[in-house]
Every structure is written in C-alpha cells, then in structure tokens.
Amino acid sequence: MSINSTLRREGIEIINPLSTLEINKIASKIAEKLCSTFPEHNLNQSDLFISISRLNMYIAKMPNDMAVAKYFYKNDSIYFSENMDFDDLNTLAVHECIHFLQAVKDKRGKVTKLGLYNLQGKTSGMALNEAAVQYMASKANQNETDNVRYYNMNLTTESPDYYPLETAIIRQLAYFTGTYPLFHSVLYSNDVFKNTFIAKSNSKAYNIIESNLDLLMHYQEELVISMNNLDYCSENDASLNKIKNLSNRIEALKSIILKLTLEIQNTIIDNCFNKEFQYIKDQDSLNAFQSHLYNFKDLLIDTEGYNFYNEFYRNMMNKLEEKRELVKKYGVLTFFEESNKDLALFENPTYGIEFFKKLFNKLKLLFEEKIRVKNID
C-alpha cells in the first residue's frame, strides 16, 4: 500500500510542508528537551538536532482533535495537526520524534524494531512501547502526575489524555526496574529493560504483560470506533435497535478493558513482589521489602470491589513475620531454591564450624563401621 493510501486510510490530509526554518525550530526544541531531561543516557544535543531536522514534516488535517502528531516510519515523516502550537510543543510531538529516533532498520531500509516493539516475525510489544514512549515524552515536557478516572478505574499518570491506562501500568513496571533500563531501551531499541524486568520477575510474566497490553490497546481502539459509531447513529436517527446494540457493545468493551487492566496489574504485583521476597536475607532487606510493598499503593489502579492488592499485602505481612523470626534466630539468611520452588534455610555462617564438626564425626563413624565390617569378613 502506498504512503498516500495509508494516509487517506488514517484520515490524514496534507495541507503543506513545513519550511526548513520551522523544522529546525522543532528539532532544536525537542533535542534540548530530551538531552536536559535524560542526561544519564549520553544523548548528544547536536546529533539529535541534525537527525530530527532531516525529517520530512507536514501540516495536515488530522482525523480527530487528540491526534496532533503522527510519525510514519515508512517514509520518515511527521504530520502535525493544523492546530499544533509550535511555541509550546505538545507531548505528542515529542512522542512522535522519539519514535523516529528509536527506529532500527535493516540493510534494505526496513524498520525491524521500534524501542520495545519488535516488528520481525510475530510482532509484539507495540502497546508496551507506546506507553513507554508517552511516559518518556511526558517526563520531557515535565508533566505533573494527575489523578484521573477511566472506565470506573482510579489511577495516577503523567499522561491523562493519551494512553492513560498504559502509562499507569508502565509506571508500575518501572517501579521495579527503575526508569534507566526503560528509557535506555526506548531510545536504543535493545533488551535492557526486558531482561531487567525478567530478572525482577520471570519471562512468563513479561510475555503475559506484553501480550495483554497489546490486547488492551486493541479493545480501547474498538471502543473509540464504537463510540464514534454511536454518535453518528444518534445524530442520523438510526434505529433504536442499532443504537441499543452499540450501547451494549460499548459497555461490554469497558468491562473487558477494566478486567484486563486489573489482570495486568495483578500479574505485576504477584510476580515481582514474590521474586523480591525470595531475596530477603536480613533485617534491612526485610524492612526495605515492607516499605516497597506498602508504597506500591500510590501506583495502584483501583476500582470498586478490587481487593487483590489488600489480600496480597496481608498474606505477605504474615510471611514477613515468619521470616522476621528466622532472621532473629539465625541472623543473615542464605537460600537455595528447590525444584518445587520452596526456599530451604542453611545454618548461619556463625554456626559453620559446629556444623562441619558434626558432619566430620558422622563421616568418621561411617568410615570406622565400614572398616569394622571388612575386618569381620
């Protein structure tokens, strides 16, 4: 499909290209924002400016008011809404420029990866990447965290108008990995974030979260289409039966989105905190875990009747008390993981000499018994 056909399908209509002066102004602002916000990633402001300034940029009619910018990796072009305020670049403008910077191409010029989004073979991670890029763009624009409500869910995010659920979830993931691995993988399209999160949980959890986020985005897009169709039908006196069916579908999609969002959150809580619990070895790590678990409540996506986190918290407090007693009794704990995933406790190093004395005496008795039997024979 040609670029023009793709643009028409997306509802984008080019008005005019931006001048070199206008492009340079945008490139300069975005390069400065990224370099000043993320100095730890060794970005070169001059190189960023040159790279972004080589993009094709256009003013265009966009399909809706929310879509103020769109990057097309197939022709390295960004399309800005005619309503865009270039003196105060929207986070979506930064968002789309990050997409351009993260694109990895093969020898034929085909994009193979965009940050956390793998476009080779069975594509995966599109929603995860969109959430991470928007989170990063919100940081670059110094957006404040906001408390919002979507689909009967209360949550906190720096991006209340664009991917609010996804950015709320990405903040939860970064709670365990830190933002450095996340932003590094967004910028350089590597597996640093993926491997870090797997180390903090497991590969199965990562794959579940990745695929469920893609599903979440799909259902949200379907919801927007259904709501637009309902508006059109209401304005054009469609049959009551059609309006009713669309209304039912909208409510069903909202329920699916709510359920899927909480399932992703529960996967994060269960796998990350259980993995972290395994590494508690002394009073300091015990206290740190307790604080880490408690403070997660500030990132919680909540809704009426949701009690997974509270129940998980209570169960963990009971386990912590058991581990606290072990710490009091043995001091620093050392663990190994059995095949059944139970953790077994070795003697504290302070008891090591006594342990080996007992072991040596047992081996000595066995050796003497073997000699005795041999002599009898």
Side-chain angles (χ1 to χ4, degrees), residues 238-301:
S239 66
L240 290 177
N241 190 50
K242 188 171 184 178
I243 291 175
K244 182 180 179 181
N245 288 339
L246 278 170
S247 298
N248 290 340
R249 180 56 181 164
I250 288 170
E251 292 307 311
L253 285 168
K254 288 180 179 179
S255 296
I256 292 171
I257 289 169
L258 185 149
K259 183 174 182 291
L260 194 54
T261 300
L262 296 180
E263 284 179 359
I264 295 170
Q265 175 171 266
N266 294 349
T267 300
I268 296 169
I269 293 171
D270 187 27
N271 288 276
C272 291
F273 280 118
N274 271 308
K275 185 65 170 286
E276 189 176 332
F277 181 83
Q278 294 176 12
Y279 293 99
I280 296 175
K281 61 180 181 178
D282 53 25
Q283 189 63 46
D284 288 342
S285 56
L286 193 151
N287 292 339
F289 176 87
Q290 186 169 346
S291 297
H292 203 220
L293 178 59
Y294 177 78
N295 291 333
F296 186 83
K297 65 180 176 54
D298 296 332
L299 301 176
L300 204 63
I301 301 171

Side-chain angles (χ1 to χ4, degrees), residues 13 22 61 67 114 149 190 212 244 304 340:
E13 181 182 341
E22 290 170 320
K61 291 182 179 179
L114 281 171
R149 183 174 176 84
N190 56 39
N212 280 350
K244 182 180 179 181
E304 184 178 355
N340 63 358

